[in-house]
């Protein structure tokens, strides 16, 4: 599990330290820098995936994020020449003066260790820019690993491929399907069943029809209208919310215990009630061995997490919020914990207080 992350002279941060727990949330104003911490993790992970990390370098252009040139990630007011990412006790450091500023990679000063769980456990990342509803989706042509795609583009493909297999995270699957398996708790829950039940927690009465067009290397899905399978509605004729949340739910069920799940803006296109229920499901997933890392602008996500913590007796410190703010070019990170009663240990200026400010203007 990731416990801490320190970045120095990296993008907007001259020096910043972030604490992590089983469920970690990043929030703050636009362009305050909250995405930068996630991007540091993505930089490490994509560099491992393409083999550059084992060759003592970091790939600035990759499958998860493309930063640009070396000059694009070096802080404009850097304290020194070292660009550094410290993942718990693992140091990834590079000297800017020794780099070609136009390169798309950073040469590391020392050989890195690849024993951290970020590199050895299952990992899924969903970008804020997820795929909008489509009439059909591409098939993931690599069956060796479950890949939902950073835009959720392979979610339907993977659901079809593994629907009759046990859900990779059985702890979560059994919690979601507890009302179905009371008489046979030892039987493994299939992925499709767990997926359908999890989606029903967010969208009441959710149903889905899945079709594999093998001769076209495409897959598709429809949603039954009024609970009748004969009346099928294409995704493009439904709201964006269902298609946006579908990959998130599938990613939770496909992240094994000890794995990591990074999600940007899970609330996109969701009604406030659905946001709250999604937050509860994400919190439940984090109690099933998944380290979940979120970036959000939604107070409904925060409050949904707080409610689940209180109602389920989750320990103080299980959830950590990193509130990032910027003033006159200076970045500040405030660590906020959620206690067992759902309360917050600290409050930062601008921390989801806009509703109160607007109400004061009205009254």
């Amino acid at each position: 599990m990731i416990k801490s992350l320190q970045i120095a002279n990296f993008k907007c941060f001259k020096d910043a330290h972030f604490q992590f727990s089983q469920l970690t949330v990043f929030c703050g104003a636009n362009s305050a820098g909250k995405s930068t911490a996630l991007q540091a993790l993505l930089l490490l992970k994509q560099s491992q995936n393409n083999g550059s990390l084992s060759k003592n370098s970091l790939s600035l252009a990759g499958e998860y994020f493309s930063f640009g040139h070396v000059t694009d990630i070096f802080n404009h007011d850097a304290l020194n020449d070292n660009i550094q990412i410290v993942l718990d006790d693992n140091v990834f450091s590079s000297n800017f003066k020794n780099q070609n500023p136009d390169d798309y990679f950073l040469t590391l000063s020392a050989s890195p260790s690849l024993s951290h769980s970020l590199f050895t456990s299952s990992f899924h990342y969903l970008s804020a820019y997820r795929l909008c509803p489509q009439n059909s989706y591409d098939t993931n042509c690599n069956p060796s690993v479950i890949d939902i795609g950073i835009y959720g583009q392979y979610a339907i493909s993977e659901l079809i491929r593994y629907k009759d297999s046990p859900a990779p995270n059985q702890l979560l699957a059994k919690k979601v399907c507890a009302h179905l398996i009371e008489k046979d708790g030892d039987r493994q829950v299939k992925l499709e069943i767990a997926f359908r039940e999890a989606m029903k927690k967010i969208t009441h009465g959710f149903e889905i029809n899945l079709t594999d067009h093998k001769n076209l290397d495409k897959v598709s899905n429809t949603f039954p209208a009024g609970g009748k399978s004969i009346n099928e509605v294409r995704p493009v004729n439904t709201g964006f919310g269902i298609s946006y949340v579908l990959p998130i739910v599938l990613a939770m069920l496909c992240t094994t215990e000890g794995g990591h799940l990074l999600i940007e803006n899970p609330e996109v296109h969701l009604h406030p009630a659905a946001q709250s229920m999604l937050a509860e499901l994400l919190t439940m997933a984090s109690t099933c061995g998944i380290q979940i890392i979120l970036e959000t602008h939604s107070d409904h996500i925060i409050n949904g997490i707080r409610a689940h913590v209180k109602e389920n007796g989750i320990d103080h410190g299980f959830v950590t919020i990193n509130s990032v703010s910027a003033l006159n070019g200076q970045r500040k990170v405030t660590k906020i914990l959620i206690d067992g009663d759902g309360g917050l240990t600290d409050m930062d200026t601008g921390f989801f207080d806009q509703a109160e400010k607007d109400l004061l203007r009205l009254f």
Side-chain angles (χ1 to χ4, degrees):
M1 185 177 86
I2 301 168
K3 296 181 180 178
S4 67
L5 175 71
Q6 185 175 0
I7 51 179
N9 299 326
F10 185 81
K11 295 191 70 175
C12 64
F13 287 104
K14 288 187 285 188
D15 187 40
H17 190 220
F18 304 94
Q19 294 292 326
F20 286 68
S21 56
Q22 198 67 38
L23 175 55
T24 306
V25 182
F26 287 83
C27 59
N30 297 110
S31 298
K34 57 188 178 298
S35 299
T36 299
L38 272 67
Q39 290 168 5
L41 297 176
L42 295 175
L43 175 58
L44 296 178
K45 188 62 182 177
Q46 73 183 16
S47 299
Q48 181 219 5
N49 287 353
N50 66 19
S52 63
L53 197 54
S54 62
K55 299 176 183 177
N56 298 345
S57 69
L58 296 176
S59 296
L60 301 183
E63 60 180 313
Y64 296 136
F65 196 81
S66 292
F67 296 85
H69 302 284
V70 171
T71 51
D72 291 307
I73 69 162
F74 190 60
N75 184 273
H76 296 161
D77 299 311
L79 299 172
N80 52 50
D81 295 325
N82 288 323
I83 305 171
Q84 193 170 78
I85 301 173
V86 182
L87 179 67
D88 294 331
D89 296 326
N90 302 274
V91 179
F92 304 84
S93 183
S94 180
N95 189 288
F96 178 72
K97 283 189 174 181
N98 296 334
Q99 310 295 317
N100 180 342
D102 293 329
D103 278 345
Y104 293 98
F105 62 90
L106 277 175
T107 301
L108 296 175
S109 304
S111 299
S113 169
L114 301 181
S115 60
H116 193 280
S117 64
L118 179 66
F119 306 121
T120 60
S121 301
S122 65
F123 178 90
H124 294 286
Y125 162 62
L126 287 168
S127 166
Y129 179 66
R130 292 187 286 283
L131 201 63
C132 66
Q134 307 282 311
N135 283 327
S136 65
Y137 300 90
D138 290 333
T139 296
N140 173 24
C141 297
N142 180 9
S144 64
V145 62
I146 298 178
D147 183 7
I148 289 150
I150 69 170
Y151 310 117
Q153 68 269 32
Y154 299 134
I156 297 298
S157 168
E158 299 300 65
L159 182 58
I160 289 175
R161 176 176 288 162
Y162 296 103
K163 64 180 182 177
D164 293 323
S165 301
N169 193 307
Q170 280 293 302
L171 276 178
L172 178 59
K174 288 182 178 181
K175 278 192 176 185
V176 167
C177 299
H179 60 294
L180 302 177
I181 59 175
E182 292 178 356
K183 295 180 180 179
D184 191 7
D186 293 331
R187 179 179 296 178
Q188 290 195 310
V189 180
K190 291 182 179 180
L191 178 60
E192 183 182 10
I193 294 173
F195 170 78
R196 290 176 183 271
E197 294 304 310
M199 286 294 294
K200 287 177 184 177
K201 291 182 177 294
I202 300 168
T203 304
H204 180 70
F206 173 85
E207 290 294 343
I208 189 170
N209 295 328
L210 303 165
T211 305
D212 189 355
H213 307 279
K214 292 183 179 180
N215 59 325
L216 299 174
D217 295 324
K218 292 282 188 177
V219 294
S220 65
N221 71 282
T222 56
F223 302 110
K228 297 179 180 180
S229 58
I230 59 172
N231 299 323
E232 298 182 317
V233 180
R234 299 184 187 201
V236 295
N237 292 323
T238 63
F240 275 47
I242 293 178
S243 293
Y244 265 61
V245 77
L246 189 153
I248 297 176
V249 172
L250 188 62
M252 281 188 265
L253 290 163
C254 289
T255 305
T256 56
E257 292 178 56
H260 308 272
L261 174 57
L262 278 66
I263 308 171
E264 294 175 342
N265 302 118
E267 69 272 9
V268 176
H269 294 298
L270 288 179
H271 181 276
Q275 292 182 39
S276 181
M277 290 306 301
L278 174 59
E280 291 203 46
L281 188 60
L282 286 163
T283 310
M284 180 191 294
S286 67
T287 67
C288 297
I290 307 171
Q291 184 172 30
I292 293 181
I293 302 168
L294 307 175
E295 178 195 347
T296 184
H297 290 281
S298 171
D299 51 353
H300 303 297
I301 293 291
I302 298 294
N303 291 332
I305 293 171
R306 294 171 65 187
H308 190 86
V309 166
K310 178 180 180 180
E311 292 172 356
N312 292 273
I314 295 175
D315 293 340
H316 172 82
F318 186 85
V319 181
T320 297
I321 300 171
N322 289 294
S323 178
V324 185
S325 57
L327 181 63
N328 299 323
Q330 300 298 313
R331 263 65 182 183
K332 175 187 174 185
V333 180
T334 302
K335 175 185 174 182
I336 303 172
L337 301 179
I338 297 179
D339 62 33
D341 292 325
L344 301 171
T345 60
D346 199 355
M347 290 293 286
D348 199 14
T349 302
F351 181 75
F352 297 108
D353 56 2
Q354 192 59 44
E356 294 179 8
K357 290 178 180 178
D358 289 342
L359 287 173
L360 287 174
R361 293 173 63 192
L362 289 170
F363 298 101

